[in-house]
Amino acid sequence: MEQDQDDLPVMRIRARPGAYACGTETIEQILRAALNVLVEEGSNAFTLRRIAAECGMKVGNLSYYFPHKENLVEELLEAILNGYSDMADEELRDASDDPEERLMCGIAFTLDDIRSKLTTNLFPELWALANHNEKVDRLVQDFYARAQERIALSVRAVNDTLTEEECRTVALFISATIEGTTIFAGHAKPWEPKMPEIKALAIQSLMHLVKTLRSDDLRAFRRSPARLAA
Amino acid sequence: MEQDQDDLPVMRIRARPGAYACGTETIEQILRAALNVLVEEGSNAFTLRRIAAECGMKVGNLSYYFPHKENLVEELLEAILNGYSDMADEELRDASDDPEERLMCGIAFTLDDIRSKLTTNLFPELWALANHNEKVDRLVQDFYARAQERIALSVRAVNDTLTEEECRTVALFISATIEGTTIFAGHAKPWEPKMPEIKALAIQSLMHLVKTLRSDDLRAFRRSPARLAA
Amino acid sequence: MEQDQDDLPVMRIRARPGAYACGTETIEQILRAALNVLVEEGSNAFTLRRIAAECGMKVGNLSYYFPHKENLVEELLEAILNGYSDMADEELRDASDDPEERLMCGIAFTLDDIRSKLTTNLFPELWALANHNEKVDRLVQDFYARAQERIALSVRAVNDTLTEEECRTVALFISATIEGTTIFAGHAKPWEPKMPEIKALAIQSLMHLVKTLRSDDLRAFRRSPARLAA
Amino acid sequence: MEQDQDDLPVMRIRARPGAYACGTETIEQILRAALNVLVEEGSNAFTLRRIAAECGMKVGNLSYYFPHKENLVEELLEAILNGYSDMADEELRDASDDPEERLMCGIAFTLDDIRSKLTTNLFPELWALANHNEKVDRLVQDFYARAQERIALSVRAVNDTLTEEECRTVALFISATIEGTTIFAGHAKPWEPKMPEIKALAIQSLMHLVKTLRSDDLRAFRRSPARLAA
DNA sequence: AATGAATGAGCGTTCATTCAT
DNA sequence: TATGAATGAACGCTCATTCAT
């Protein structure tokens, strides 16, 4: 299930009313080239000229489809993040019916995904961009909200003693653990070879948390914050 | 211990052979301005012009101290990352002697730190930069290696059934969990208000992991990876 | 008789051999849009894109009717200048039979016209264009030649002591006085409220000139130019 | 006194505090090149690249001195219009003491000036620009306000039966007559050879107006506007 | 030590134009 | 007829860098 570097990323590209088929194809080429530049060379190299060169077009034509660079960025992020969401939905559809197994599978699947070059390189760019670009921030936060909502449902199915709010907090914690792993054990990272052990730790630790957590555990800490308790 | 936004970040600025004190002060001004621009406006605005304006100098003078922008970036990252390391060392020096408490405190301290604007904004930039800049990558990985070495020592002190290697893996997992939290519950992030509960989860979950983990748990998973087991 | 800002300018659009009525309508729409852009936003905004937007068409279609922007400019100027000429002819047709009254009326009529937004904004653009565009220059000069010919006829009718050549010179002087007023007392100009007094001065001064001028007055000055006499 | 085409236009260039001598010279070169492009090729060719080529510099250096093109335009117009004002002041200083002669001389001088390529080409550009650029409009209107104030003083000296307001109206009329002549008898215009006769007409007609005008003449027309009277 | 000056390359964007559909 | 698509050139502007002062 690990995404190969050569695999073209799956993008859900917004349909355009009345556009020629040719134009839609061109848009996809541009977005794919843009994604490639962003992933392979980083946001510093993410220029219209570089993207145009990547897809063998002229700068003016990119501006024809995306009057402002901002438009291209937004559409690219929308497409790629929707692609990720679609991939997750599909994975869930094929997964087991057993709640624990579903949750475990989801964690494993995502940890596999972050080892792809695409994911390892793309998401840190998004995190950085989001801090100074409101629209990117909204897109990224919405994406994670959807992802964590999926996790929260699984958490609830495993442990129904938790409130919905608590499930979402646990889901965020699970999500944070996985995302954080990207920067240490993602594609070409020094700890990438240790990913099997890390995955083991993550699954064991997070599954135990989900299964044993009680509402009181959260409430207790809220009353006496860790840094005072410590 | 939470770092205030107004607190100037602590930087350990590299001494220059034969440099006048005056020059050192100027360098500090430049680096501080550079850090400020990077944190407040992101890498897009991280230009010599913008930095020069921030510290009331002319662009030419920045080039006098840092012949190439690359030099400035490296020295800045070195200084700020060393500053973070110093801060951690200091915190450990003042911490309890009890191993569990030391570890718990370290986790709590770091989770507090990621709520500062500085940390929330700076590190995603570093993660993104590191993916396409070898020198930045080395600096960042070295920084995390030191951080995780500190954690690994604490882990070993709490659970001496684990090998050094296993302790390092656990330390990386702890580190990943904390870093990952940055993008969801860092400064001005939507989940920032939930940080107390997240901290509770992190401490409870990670401490339990450290205390109960056995070498077999890691070996078992290595033989049968999660994605097959799932 | 003052041209209202809301009045659509009258254009005499050149018939195209073998053109369908539909095409003629489209051409008129384009020319009207072009004129509107030129008058409202100036020659800087006078681009095919802007004009196309103004008449709800696509740029490509403008190029279909006017293969080169130059063609559009020429046809536009021809149409609008012919429209002005037609308007003047019509005004003369309705005017009194008394020579003096005809001349006075013509001056007043033109001074009224330069207060329209159309005239105030259009003609300075033409004067500027004509200085660096031979075709525009020819169109504009021809237009003024026709206008001054009309004035010259009136001048002769009032004062038959002057030669035709002298009448044309006087007509040019009258025309220059009126055109020059455009930039000071035209639409939205600071002196526009003073237009009644200016009109009074113009009529009194110019009519007196026409009535009293003798050929010797011109010859005398030719022999001893003002700048030496002064 | 006629300004030769080869004569460099006189510009009153704003002093810059703390600038190197070199920089001031460069600014003058830029402004002179800019003026040359505007006069010789019109506002369509008035681009930073064209100007840079004209003075043998690179575009970036123009931007160094004038961060925005707007700044260059404003400074250029200020310098050249102030230059014209200075020239007029100087001319007045050397003129006769006799009021009539002073006025006549001023008219003749200005009519001579509009035959220069610079004036013939520059001013129509300004008139056109002013209609869609507020700052240009202000500069141009201020320039003419100063010019007409000078004329108004002469008018008053010749005919003290007029109020100040009336003198200003007459001055505007004189100014309009002269400016309007630019487009017909300016440099390279078809009627340029007739300039002696036109100058004769202008002086005879305008001087007679100034000498014989009575306040009643203006008041009468104000009560019964020409277009109704006609 | 610091600045003013200048460069060359590149940025996002807009332009008139061409052409297949 | 009219549009979508694409181009190549140019636009104003910003960039890191160099260098004389």
Side-chain angles (χ1 to χ4, degrees), chain D residues 39-51:
Chain D
V39 165
E40 297 289 335
E41 311 181 31
S43 67
N44 256 1
F46 191 75
T47 71
L48 293 189
R49 276 167 176 74
R50 186 66 198 81
I51 297 168

Side-chain angles (χ1 to χ4, degrees), chain D residues 81-130:
Chain D
L81 291 178
N82 282 334
Y84 272 97
S85 292
D86 290 349
M87 186 171 65
D89 287 338
E90 197 175 342
E91 196 266 344
L92 267 187
R93 215 173 15 252
D94 303 342
S96 155
D97 283 340
D98 175 59
E100 279 191 38
E101 208 167 321
R102 283 174 72 89
L103 181 53
M104 201 160 66
C105 250
I107 294 171
F109 176 83
T110 315
L111 282 170
D112 283 334
D113 178 67
I114 65 172
R115 291 181 59 193
S116 72
K117 190 179 199 179
L118 172 67
T119 300
T120 299
N121 285 4
L122 174 64
F123 279 81
E125 298 289 348
L126 300 188
W127 302 335
L129 278 174

Side-chain angles (χ1 to χ4, degrees), chain C residues 112-193:
Chain C
D112 282 335
D113 178 66
I114 64 171
R115 290 182 59 190
S116 73
K117 190 179 197 179
L118 173 66
T119 300
T120 299
N121 286 2
L122 174 64
F123 279 81
E125 298 288 349
L126 301 188
W127 302 334
L129 276 175
N131 276 333
H132 305 99
N133 183 322
E134 208 167 312
K135 291 182 180 172
V136 172
D137 189 44
R138 186 176 40 73
L139 287 170
V140 171
Q141 293 297 347
D142 285 356
F143 165 74
Y144 280 119
R146 292 197 301 275
Q148 293 169 13
E149 192 54 38
R150 274 190 298 270
I151 301 177
L153 286 177
S154 283
V155 168
R156 191 118 215 241
V158 172
N159 181 341
D160 62 1
T161 70
L162 300 173
T163 68
E164 281 199 18
E165 177 79 4
E166 289 162 346
C167 285
R168 277 200 291 274
T169 302
V170 172
L172 177 142
F173 181 72
I174 293 173
S175 182
T177 297
I178 296 172
E179 299 302 303
T181 305
T182 309
I183 56 183
F184 298 131
H187 173 80
K189 297 290 177 183
W191 288 82
E192 194 190 3

